[in-house]
Amino acid sequence: MTDYTQVLFKNRRPGETASLETYEKTGGYEGLRIALQKTPGEICAQVKYSGLRGRGGAGFPTGVKWSFFPADQPGEKYLVCNGDEMEPGTYKDRQLLLADPHQLIEGMVIAAYALQAPVGYIFLRYAYEDCSQVIERAIAEAEAAGYLGKDILGSGFSCELHLHRSAGRYILGEETALINGLEGRRPNPRSKPPFPAQRGLFGRPTNVNNIETLANVPHIMRNGNAWYQQLSAPESSPGTKLFGLSGHFNRTECFELPLGVTLREVVQEYGGGLRNGKRFKACLPGGASSPYMTAEHLDVAMDFNALEEIGSRLGTAGVTAFDEDTCMVAVTRNINRFFARESCGWCTPCRDGLQTISWLLDKIENGQGTEDDLTMLHDQVRNINGRSFCALAEGAMGPVEALLRLFEDEIKEHIRKGKCPFG
Amino acid sequence: MVNLTIDGKQITVPKNATIYEAARDNGIHIPVLCYAKKLLPYGACRICLVEVEQMKGRLIPSCTTPVTEGMVVTTTSEEIVKVRKTVLEFLLVNHVIDCPVCDKGGECDLQDLTYEYEVVTNRFEGEKFDLPTDEVNPLIERNMNRCVLCGKCVRVCDEVVGYGSYSFINRGFETKIATAFDRGLHCEFCGQCVSMCPVGALLPRPFKFKARPWQLNEVDTVCGYCGNGCTVTLGILDKKVETIRFNDKIGVNDGNLCIRGRFGYSYVNSDDRLTKPLVRKGNQLVETEWDEALQVVADGLKKAQDGKGAGILSGARLTNEEMFLLKNLAKTLGTGNLDHSGGECYKGVTEGLLETLGVQASTGTFPQIENTDVVLAIRNDFYDTHPVVGMVINQAVRRNNAQLLVVSGKGGKLSKLPRAKTLLSGPGLELDVLNGLCQVLLEEGLAKTDGLEGLVALKQSLAEFTADKVATKTGVDADALREAARQLAGAGNAAIMLAYGLPYTPLSKELAVAAANLSLLTGIAGREGSGIYLCGEKANSQGAIDLGLLPAADGLGAQAMLDAAAGGKLDALYVVGEDPVASFPDRDKVEKALEQVPFLVVQDLFLSSTAAKANVVLPAASFAEKDGTFTNAERRIQRVRAGVPSPGEAKTDGEIIAALDAQLGGSLAFTGPEAIFAEIGKDVPAYAVNYTEIGPQGVVWGGEILQPVARKLGEAVAAPMVEGAYRLVTGSALHHSGTTSTHAKGPLAVVPEPFVEMSRADAATLGVKEGDLVKVAGNGVELKLKAKVDLRMPQGVLFAPYHFKESGVNRMFKTESVISVTISK
Ligand SMILES: Cc1cc2nc3c(=O)[nH]c(=O)nc-3n(C[C@H](O)[C@H](O)[C@H](O)COP(=O)(O)O)c2cc1C
Ligand code: SF4
Ligand code: SF4
Ligand code: SF4
Ligand code: SF4
Ligand code: FES
């Protein structure tokens, strides 16, 4: 394993959460001090030129998003941290919080200042009881130390943060559904436009960012853009990334690696190869909604653009590996069931379409599939992709589309044999 | 404006239009299912997807995507057709397809689209839903097996009605629409959800299996109940009104109705309708022919006029033309004793407003309310009397972030709207709170006093109404009162809402003066986009005022006529379209008057409690059976159209009055509403409009903003303080209007009988449960009423609505607005 620079995980110790003291000793809250010397516009510009891209799944440039935010508009504005993390195979935000939570607090205060949105909500996954305690403590510590609350560090800027625990559904991770959820409504996504930056939480301008995204901000403030960009090789994807490994790896842990490491390095060095010495067959590179990569992609760089070029997505960088004995139809069926169940039920293609995909995959996996079903599966992907209201259904199509593209022979074998070839 | 191309056609549309709206307004068809013009953009069904050249790679929902300059849109292609077919296949996967027995068949969007896209077979097989239908509620059949999850019911009930009955529940394929805890619907029963549902999932239960939509003959007319003046479309089969359909293309209500307008029509078809004139012979009212009846009436009235005099008392549901004829009849008869039922209680308008603003009507129009910054509603009952204006207020609050202020002695729907601030006073003390608001405006220098008369006297009279004093007396928080006054003063545009009607008689003039003062001090009266709204209880309350259906200078008004009759000083009374025994305050006096008066003629649809005492009863036509005009509470003159013939020999009030007039030697022949409307125009300049020019939106006399002709502040007076452990107030209940709705099955199905409403705390103290019979005693009268327990009631305050003749509420209320009572099981 290479000794890569640890930024977000530099204070990570097994079974321990870094205290405020530890955080401060390693440069914690210096980024905030530096930021408060600057104008909000300067911070936005710096984040934009740093090249930081969103870590919630879409990889949208954070500074660009911030530049759309009407920071000058009078009245209430909100900053929301998306900690829903319900994407199957994704647990990196949890690891980050349990390791060193003040990065998030500091990042949020800086973002709140940069966006002039002095009220922040941390929207946390229902099941993350441990994280919620960690966050509450961190908020209290930060308040006591003057990093949060009224007149922060004598700057005149005040900021309050609230923790909200999700009611616990995958769709709550979608930012407009999240906003509905925060308002106490049913979490359906909202129609865009208006975008949250115009009319978000309680009808006011709102900016939503992922936990990991926000946690990067203090480091960028403290160490500068040049430092940040040299952390990784690809120009389009600067910085480090938390990779959460799961599935058939020997080591299912979360690692902080520079963007652009090869899949091979992830699989062999960090994942320690697959269980029982089995061969690597495929993986979901970034959560259950990212199209599969196979052994032929082992030398592809794990960064936003390179993965798009091969028809996949970096997503959350939650890498789930499957070994040579795995039936990809069964995997896809399982994943699709999740998405069909978690569909918010709002729009027709997702609510009813995902269910039809489930039926088709069930049929094929159970050995009752026909060539017509295969044709229909192809057709359904086209009927659902790009037709739905929010990105859930599109995400759901990722693995299905990849199954058809990369494992068509395997599907045909199910049909030919009238049963699952993997028994 | 934005220029774009749709299907090769160059078009120019307003810049806030969506692609769908742009296409629709230019004659290009894009199918929609979840789109509704009065709801916010939604975009869920995905049937309306189109291609946009600038957004290649995905299909774009035309119903939510705003147009942009130079956009190039294609609405049909092989790809698009395929997607639409698939959406339909998806929707049909679990749909029951029971079109043969579905009342929506023939006007169902799903049926039509399936036909249009020739979805003959479905590639997907799924289990059909087998959800139970909602058999609990009386009016709306909910069959969720037919639901396509367009969310329109959820949205309209939230966005427009502000009630929030429905929500999506469950996820994915199991998603469905449900009420709270998935129980039977229990709501306002306004039926908005029914009119929005594109399929047969929500249907009017009273209409079940009554007719196929294409068999119905549709006639647009105006609701006969309240002063909101909603357009209703009668659905007629075989000369019978079988349903009321919504119409969002004409009128003021955007297709919105309340339970009375939507489900309150059945009285028109009632078997209890009078079909022949009745004349008293001995102790019996016996059927007779029109000739005889008219002769008896004419003779009786003439004789009375030659004696101690005759009087005419009219209801406010007559058309303008009929009221004009009635006025004319009084002239022919030579009597100045003429009034409409509101004559004594509409003082708020006729006197209070006249003395202050010099006009006798609302100064703004309803659509303007939606864009105000602050709405002040006087009494929560405003929603109950005028629900559809209430929905406009809801939209001002929800869509445009208006601040709603409610001055009220009890809670209610308006107080529950988002961010509403309620200045909750003791019962009947709203007047003091309004005065308090005026005082704060003056004290804090927020008032616009330029050009106002009567300032000194007002200031003097307001000395007793400082925020602290008002707080002490009424229980309203002094700071909240100050804050409300500041918000009203600071509003760019604001609306002040006050409803009036028979149960609100006491202090109505004083309230109107106080509201008018407030409108003058804030500059609301006459300001573009703002207004003071005084809304009459009945369909043509405003017409009665405009036409001056009032006593002559030396004549008697409604109460004076009753007093005279009771004292043996009036020889005849002709009551048209009103049931004073049931509806007027002080029933004992009314009964005495009707028993004493030697000759009583009653013209009505039913043998009302008043008609039962008459010498002659004349059978009249309902609103659905006549042509003419009503003027609603925003001064809008609208056309009323006959859809069905009257039962038996019943005649329109106009025909009857004109025939009587002729009998009495009058000169005005009945030549139909158009000719009479022209006559009205000669008398009342504001009505000098060509009848045929009264279009789909009616004609607002005086224009969108009616400028006050005076600006004279009235003096502030205090409401009397009534003490007591339990204090009873009366008023209107949402599901009813006047007494007419107590003959209609729809409203009765929901609220079948009189009740007394109380707080939970009082119910607990008294050991009373919802539905228990309780005794309420006060003012020398004891009433037995069913108990209703509601969170909206403050402790110690009781409310009993006035609509039901059997309740006797109007026996207890004589001249007071609040009565100290005792209550027991
Ligand atoms: C169905 C769905 C689920 C999502 N779940 C999450 C999530 O759990 N956490 C997250 O940060 N973003 C999630 N997102 C992405 C968010 O909508 C949003 O893009 C993100 O929070 C923006 O933050 P970033 O720019 O910092 O990445 C989800 C998106 C979709 C469509
Ligand atoms: S794609 Fe549609 S149904 Fe699916 S989660 Fe998004 S809005 Fe809901
Ligand atoms: S009838 Fe009216 S109040 Fe009741 S659910 Fe339908 S829209 Fe809502
Ligand atoms: S009940 Fe009707 S209006 Fe409501 S979601 Fe279903 S189809 Fe739409
Ligand atoms: S009663 Fe009034 S609010 Fe209700 S439908 Fe009729 S006119 Fe409209
Ligand atoms: S009509 Fe556009 S998505 Fe339903």
Side-chain angles (χ1 to χ4, degrees), chain A residues 4 24 37 54 67 125 177 183 297 322 337 351 390:
Chain A
Y4 291 119
E24 282 173 324
Q37 306 296 320
S67 69
R125 180 175 175 175
E183 287 183 6
H297 299 124
F322 306 105
R337 270 192 199 152
R351 176 188 65 234
C390 83

Side-chain angles (χ1 to χ4, degrees), chain B residues 589-638:
Chain B
K589 183 179 86 183
V590 175
E591 281 179 344
K592 183 159 177 231
L594 299 182
E595 273 146 28
Q596 291 291 321
V597 74
F599 187 61
L600 175 65
V601 181
V602 176
Q603 186 166 308
D604 206 327
L605 308 186
F606 298 97
L607 194 66
S608 64
S609 34
T610 303
K613 299 184 187 303
N615 299 73
V616 183
V617 180
L618 304 175
S622 74
F623 82 106
E625 296 148 18
K626 56 187 169 192
D627 285 292
T629 57
F630 283 159
T631 308
N632 80 351
E634 46 161 2
R635 297 173 279 116
R636 196 178 298 266
I637 306 167
Q638 303 191 98

Side-chain angles (χ1 to χ4, degrees), chain A residues 186 188 343-348 351-352, chain B residues 33-34 42-46 90-91 94-95 110 129 131 144-155 167-178 197-199 201:
Chain A
R186 180 179 163 93
N188 301 105
S343 157
C344 81
W346 195 253
C347 69
T348 318
R351 176 188 65 234
D352 297 334
Chain B
L33 200 53
C34 69
Y42 188 70
C45 76
R46 315 310 270 186
F90 287 158
L91 292 174
N94 44 22
H95 194 95
L110 183 63
F129 281 150
L131 302 165
M144 290 303 111
N145 301 311
R146 296 177 183 155
C147 172
V148 293
L149 293 167
C150 69
K152 282 188 193 171
C153 54
V154 179
R155 292 180 287 150
S167 176
F168 285 78
I169 66 164
N170 303 339
R171 282 164 296 155
F173 204 57
E174 309 285 305
T175 306
K176 65 169 188 167
I177 307 291
C197 184
V199 295

Side-chain angles (χ1 to χ4, degrees), chain A residues 23-137:
Chain A
Y23 185 62
E24 282 173 324
K25 264 190 213 146
T26 53
Y29 289 106
E30 266 174 40
L32 175 61
R33 281 178 212 280
I34 294 168
L36 290 173
Q37 306 296 320
K38 305 188 185 210
T39 65
E42 283 167 358
I43 302 172
C44 288
Q46 186 181 341
V47 171
K48 187 163 161 184
Y49 294 120
S50 76
L52 171 64
R53 295 175 67 166
R55 304 301 198 226
F60 192 81
T62 306
V64 175
K65 189 179 204 170
W66 289 10
S67 69
F68 296 147
F69 192 82
D72 300 335
Q73 192 177 311
E76 294 97 37
K77 281 162 288 179
Y78 299 100
L79 173 68
V80 174
C81 167
N82 189 342
D84 190 58
E85 193 158 73
M86 288 245 331
E87 179 80 19
T90 303
Y91 57 99
K92 46 112 188 161
D93 291 336
R94 175 171 183 226
Q95 296 300 317
L96 186 153
L97 288 172
L98 293 180
D100 201 358
H102 278 282
Q103 302 176 92
L104 174 62
I105 309 297
E106 186 181 0
M108 284 189 77
V109 178
I110 297 171
Y113 174 66
L115 300 169
Q116 293 292 294
V119 179
Y121 289 90
I122 301 169
F123 189 94
L124 191 68
R125 180 175 175 175
Y126 176 72
Y128 284 3
E129 180 56 40
D130 47 2
C131 294
S132 83
Q133 286 169 14
V134 163
I135 292 173
E136 267 164 6
R137 177 152 24 88

